[in-house]
Amino acid sequence: MSNPAEIPQTMQAVICHGPENYTLEEVPVPTPGPGEALVKVDAVGICASDLKCYHGAAKFWGDDSRPAWAETEVIPGHEFAGTVVQLDDLAAEKWKVGVGDRVVSEQIVPCWKCRYCLRGQYWMCGPHDLYGFKRRTPGAMAEYMIYNVDALVHKVPNEIPAHHAAFAEPLSCSLHAVERANIGFDDVVVVAGCGPIGLGMVAGAKSKNPAKVVALDMAPHKLEIAKECGADVVINIAEEDADKIVKDLTDGYGADVYLEGTGHPAAVPQGLKLLRKLGTYVEYGVFRDDVTVDWSIISDDKELDVLGAHLGPHCWPAAIRLIESGALPMDKICTHQLPLAEFQKGLDLVGDGTSSIKVSLIP
Ligand SMILES: [Zn+2]
Ligand SMILES: [Zn+2]
């Protein structure tokens, strides 16, 4: 399918050579193998994890105690939307897509052979090949990319702006964290952080219809957007006493659920403090350094359920529906769209974090 004559030989791509060594280069357009698709990248979001890789925290570059996130000579970018330009019948049938369709792919490309994959827990796949971090799965900071034969691909309506469609990735992660919390109708749910992940958590938590969704941040404009995403109460933790406000909302008991979406060390003890006894803490944040807390709060004091959350398994269709519904203020969440050549500016905007929420590159 498609006319190969229309596909150029080379393309612009960002290449990661190592920490703080990313360059824009002219590279060959990749050729899809059997069961794969060549996709023209329409938008790619920049994530906090991209920035972390960029700065090359030791843990991710050669510390053997944790699996390396990133390999070198890889094109970064794991949250993206694109248009199919070439695919074979195998891929078309498997993903129910054709040339010209707007498509997103889940960020993890499972091996489909390990214990986790075989049990349906593909997001914890052993080899853990994520687009943009591994050589097997080059990412989206390029004009074209391959949707891998093992990928999970979802069609998105062409009417949705590409940078909104690419938000399906972080949003699916937020929704998975919400699912982990098993929210009840009478719950008071506190969401820490109103960045891309936190705002998605607010929207996801609200859709579970609990008693109250409370959003925390230090930036007034992000708290305003949190209200539009469904927060019933917003607390500026730089100015207000979150503990007192949450206690007042809960007859003095504390929050039922705390969703952590900042990756800031102070958000961890904050959550342990705000939760009631037998409450549920969900950690989605990715931390730069180790975090120290009093673990006795988890056992002796409150008998908390502390749960991790990673990626957005089984939540992509819901994330796409939520974007499609128009319920989210997508234009306010997607604050910056830059050309691919300005990837450095994009990384800096994400690093600064004060003016931006979701920064996207438009190749
Ligand atoms: Zn991401
Ligand atoms: Zn696997």
Side-chain angles (χ1 to χ4, degrees):
M1 287 192 217
S2 94
N3 177 6
E6 290 167 13
I7 299 164
Q9 298 284 311
T10 62
M11 65 176 188
Q12 299 257 292
V14 177
I15 310 283
C16 154
H17 296 290
E20 299 183 7
N21 183 8
Y22 287 27
T23 51
L24 187 70
E25 295 175 25
E26 193 77 18
V27 300
V29 171
T31 309
E36 297 188 323
L38 180 68
V39 172
K40 172 99 184 67
V41 179
D42 296 324
V44 51
I46 304 177
C47 174
S49 66
D50 292 315
L51 190 73
K52 200 165 164 171
C53 254
Y54 175 76
H55 288 302
K59 276 181 178 161
F60 305 97
W61 301 92
D63 174 354
D64 291 338
S65 66
R66 289 186 65 185
W69 270 24
E71 296 172 350
T72 53
E73 314 311 315
V74 171
I75 300 171
H78 63 273
E79 41 189 79
F80 48 81
T83 305
V84 177
V85 292
Q86 190 186 359
L87 82 175
D88 60 12
D89 291 344
L90 192 65
E93 220 160 274
K94 177 176 51 181
W95 295 323
K96 310 269 181 289
V97 301
V99 169
D101 282 342
R102 169 146 303 151
V103 280
V104 294
S105 169
E106 298 196 22
Q107 67 293 77
I108 187 160
V109 178
C111 74
W112 302 118
K113 294 186 189 85
C114 74
R115 176 182 294 179
Y116 302 107
C117 284
L118 293 176
R119 289 179 180 177
Q121 298 155 330
Y122 67 91
W123 70 101
M124 281 292 145
C125 172
H128 221 75
D129 291 338
L130 298 170
Y131 285 110
F133 297 104
K134 297 288 189 73
R135 287 187 201 112
R136 177 176 167 241
T137 50
M141 292 192 192
E143 290 175 274
Y144 293 88
M145 69 182 292
I146 300 288
Y147 283 11
N148 187 284
V149 63
D150 289 324
L152 291 149
V153 173
H154 304 275
K155 197 168 157 176
V156 181
N158 286 52
E159 305 80 68
I160 297 179
H163 57 289
H164 295 184
F167 194 69
E169 194 276 335
L171 187 54
S172 72
C173 296
S174 303
L175 297 186
H176 174 55
V178 169
E179 294 262 67
R180 292 283 281 159
N182 200 15
I183 291 168
F185 293 122
D186 259 341
D187 285 352
V188 170
V189 180
V190 174
V191 175
C194 296
I197 293 295
L199 290 172
M201 287 171 165
V202 167
K206 183 65 177 181
S207 70
K208 299 282 183 180
N209 207 24
K212 285 220 161 28
V213 177
V214 181
L216 313 181
D217 204 287
M218 293 197 282
H221 72 282
K222 292 184 185 176
L223 291 168
E224 283 307 309
I225 298 171
K227 283 185 198 164
E228 292 186 52
C229 289
D232 302 292
V233 178
V234 298
I235 302 174
N236 186 330
I237 57 167
E239 294 165 1
E240 297 170 282
D241 183 347
D243 191 46
K244 181 175 185 310
I245 296 169
V246 170
K247 290 271 161 62
D248 287 348
L249 283 171
T250 55
D251 299 326
Y253 284 95
D256 303 279
V257 172
Y258 183 79
L259 301 168
E260 205 295 287
T262 69
H264 192 286
V268 181
Q270 171 181 264
L272 299 180
K273 188 174 180 198
L274 292 180
L275 281 169
R276 65 162 167 80
K277 294 178 182 180
L278 303 170
T280 301
Y281 182 115
V282 179
E283 184 57 73
Y284 185 84
V286 178
F287 296 89
R288 176 171 277 274
D289 300 306
D290 295 348
V291 179
T292 304
V293 293
D294 177 2
W295 272 71
S296 300
I297 299 169
I298 296 163
S299 55
D300 195 36
D301 290 3
K302 295 189 175 177
E303 194 176 317
L304 299 176
D305 284 333
V306 178
L307 304 167
H310 177 57
L311 303 185
H314 311 296
C315 289
W316 283 70
I320 293 165
R321 282 199 305 275
L322 187 50
I323 294 167
E324 204 182 339
S325 74
L328 297 181
M330 290 305 302
D331 285 324
K332 292 182 186 170
I333 294 171
C334 297
T335 50
H336 296 77
Q337 296 88 47
L338 306 170
L340 190 61
E342 292 182 30
F343 72 91
Q344 185 67 55
K345 186 178 166 194
L347 286 163
D348 294 344
L349 276 165
V350 175
D352 170 36
T354 48
S355 65
S356 71
I357 297 179
K358 178 49 68 183
V359 179
S360 314
L361 301 174
I362 311 293

